[in-house]
Amino acid sequence: MDDVEVRNIIQQFGGFSKSREHCTVSEGPRLSAKKGAAATPTRKALGPQTLPTPVSAAPARQASPSADSQAETAAQSPASKFPSHKDVLSARRALMADGGKPSTSAFNSPSKAPTRSSLLRKSGGASARPTTVPSPSSARQLVFRSPNLKRPLARPAFSTPTKRALVDRGGNGACVGSEKEDVAQHATRPSPYQPRTPATLPPVTVRQPSIQPKSGKHGEPQVFDLTRPTARHMLGSVASQIGVGDTQRLPQGVLTMSADLAAEYRFMDEASNQLWGAAEARQVLLDRGCASSVVTDVWVANHYRWSVWSCACYARQLPLQWRSFWSIGSIVNRLLYRYEREYVCGQRSALRRVLEGDSSSQQLMVLCVASVLRTDKATQAEVTDGWYGIQAVLDPVLAQALSKGKLRVGDKIACVGLRMSGVAEGVPPLTEKAEHARLMLNGNCVRRAPWDAKLGFQRRKAMFLSLSAVSELGGAVGAALDVVVMRSYPVLYMETLSDGRRVIRSEKEELRVSGALAAKRAAVTQDLKERAIMARSKSANGVRLATSSIEACHEGKELYDYVMRSSADPAEAQRQLTRAQAEALDRYAAEQQAAIEADVAETVDKQAPQRQVRALFKLLVCDYPAHKCKQAEPSGGQQLALVTVWGPRGIGPADFAEGSRFLFTGLTVSPRKTGWQQMRPHHQDACLRLNFSLPGSHFKPMPADPEIVQRSEYRERGTLYIDEMCHISPGQEVDLAGTVTACQAAAAAGQSSVLHLSTVDERGTSHVATVEFPVVTFGSVNVASGCQATVRNCVYAPRAGAAPNTFHLRAGDGCELIY
């Protein structure tokens, strides 16, 4: 047991007092009775926490000077700093036996030391000097104190032995000469209970700002301070100052400046009375400490061009402040700023990251139209992010907007989902390979941006677009579509025939057709295999080997003829073959089997060719009007769209609940087809047709507000009876319910099956409806008379000259018959 464990046990069970000066030694002849016993050091009471000592104790001390010398000698021994392990355990047992009552116990002695209160009464008060009464029957006596001991006097604040010794030296306590010597000796002697002096901390130093110039990632010196000014104004804050002032006083170079002329423009340096252009700007950058390997002629010419054009645009729009923009110092500051951002800080603009292949061109970014070039083949434009430029090819929608003046030079455009062409991999800008790069701008991927929009990549990742803003000729829809699912149609299967025609079948009809084809192919395959076996058996008759011994056979064909045709027992003949002969026979047999299977497969494909079938399902969607209006108002000509999900993998119509809100991205546009025009509610134009194809397209469910959904075109599905058809407009899609009266099958392949339904209203009038089901899509419809049937997603198509209370409907591709 080390010293730390002893101290923890004593403190836990209220053992010895915290200071070693409370442990006193009995002075008597038994101090050295046991040979080799470690003497306990003599400690004098130094404070009011020790027990009071009577005055009569002094003569006893003087009677045994040898004991004092031995005690002082034992004090220097490190073995007597703490009581032994046996003493601690005995004290612990004694305390537990008393039940935790406050008591005073003596260790290694049968006698008990006097309590504090009894000694105080004997001494006549607390002013007497405290010592411990020696016990004649014990070599040493250690006082045990319980933490719950009630003291008659208030306990003073704890003070270290060194402090108490200094107080006694100053005359603040009554000490006899021998006690003063002990106090002085105790003060100079190191004690394990003496608190350590806290370490002296170094003085706090305040770092002064470095006057050395800052450096970049590679140790380049800083040439421009990028610290943001406290009073920084955004571009939108000067909207009230745009156009204020007389633009006629501006220099002619400012009024006629364009992106093409900016590269060759040269300022007049008033200090040297010489022209100042891109070459002089490069020399200024070199004098400021820029690296010559970075500020090349091509680099300076590029950034000089965009800086001059930008300053001229600012000067034209803010005539009152044109001098702060149109100056040599402004151009130099812009060039230094670009050097600091691009080289020292290692930051790159949007177009540079796209050209180098580190960022996708499909991300949302804002570009500026710098120039336009019209040719007979296509319309091209140069777009820039303020740092670099790239040629872009405009589709017919943007070309028409450019010719109508809706898109002009200097306008900012928001682009998303763009496609890069001309380069197979990343190339650095301002190189010959970068000149072949082209951005393909589509009308459905580009929108005009606010005039104060920041160029480059945007923090928001998506650009929302309304269905009414999607153009059929605008190519892929790069923006996100926030829509509500109006109708979810069942899964269909489209087969492409050999002549290019396409046939759409329902799931039930597809199972019938595919099953018939599989049975036909199995029958043809079995017939061909039987014919091949018969041909082998006929060719085997009369075949004899030229060699008389099997050991002379080494070719696979010879071994095959000997084993399978010449020998009476092929199994026995095969066991007689060597390992090399067996391997040659296996190879030849595998080749023959593969050749036969290839011939059979080729013949089967000719007689029963494979079908090219693709699964799909359709969704009728409308705009979620949260992005367009905040109050309920008639939607009027709000656009609808029919989204075709091609090749669904793991998704189906059940994943798109009607009335739910979804976010679609990566859709493509198909030309409109009038076949779905009759399915649309109201008398609007044919709905827009969009394609959802994996893996390029994505969808995400979104939370929908019921109040906003009510303002959309979505209407909850409801089933009608035939007598309620008088309120339905022609071309409207309905769910019809009634009793089957007759079912007429199709007479030919190109005709339709007709289902007759009827209902009787409250007045007893009978209402009849006929629903046509195309045979190609639904096959033969056979429903027993008298059954209750529901036809979903059928279109009301009235006929001229129809009888009263008779309605004619047509089953479209998404129709369902439930009975």
Side-chain angles (χ1 to χ4, degrees), residues 510-528:
E510 174 62 24
L511 292 176
R512 186 190 67 80
V513 174
S514 60
L517 179 63
K520 182 179 179 179
R521 290 179 63 88
V524 173
T525 303
Q526 183 67 21
D527 183 44
L528 293 175

Side-chain angles (χ1 to χ4, degrees), residues 42-63:
T42 303
R43 300 296 172 88
K44 291 299 181 179
L46 303 179
Q49 292 184 354
T50 56
L51 295 177
T53 304
V55 181
S56 60
R61 179 181 176 89
Q62 298 176 3

Side-chain angles (χ1 to χ4, degrees), residues 615-638:
L616 60 99
F617 65 90
K618 299 178 180 180
L619 304 171
L620 186 64
V621 299
C622 64
D623 275 322
Y624 185 73
H627 303 283
K628 301 175 62 177
C629 57
K630 297 298 182 181
Q631 300 178 357
E633 57 184 27
S635 58
Q638 192 175 21

Side-chain angles (χ1 to χ4, degrees), residues 253-255 257 307-317 325-326:
V254 176
L255 298 176
M257 184 57 63
S307 299
V308 170
W309 185 53
S310 176
C311 290
C313 295
Y314 279 117
R316 283 197 298 261
Q317 298 298 325
F325 298 106
W326 195 249

Side-chain angles (χ1 to χ4, degrees), residues 756-770:
H756 298 271
L757 303 175
S758 66
T759 57
V760 180
D761 60 5
E762 299 176 353
R763 299 178 182 179
T765 305
S766 177
H767 299 267
V768 180
T770 60

Side-chain angles (χ1 to χ4, degrees), residues 33-84:
K34 188 175 181 179
K35 294 183 179 180
T40 303
T42 303
R43 300 296 172 88
K44 291 299 181 179
L46 303 179
Q49 292 184 354
T50 56
L51 295 177
T53 304
V55 181
S56 60
R61 179 181 176 89
Q62 298 176 3
S64 57
S66 60
D68 293 346
S69 60
Q70 293 181 9
E72 293 176 359
T73 305
Q76 300 176 3
S77 177
S80 61
K81 290 184 179 181
F82 297 97
S84 63

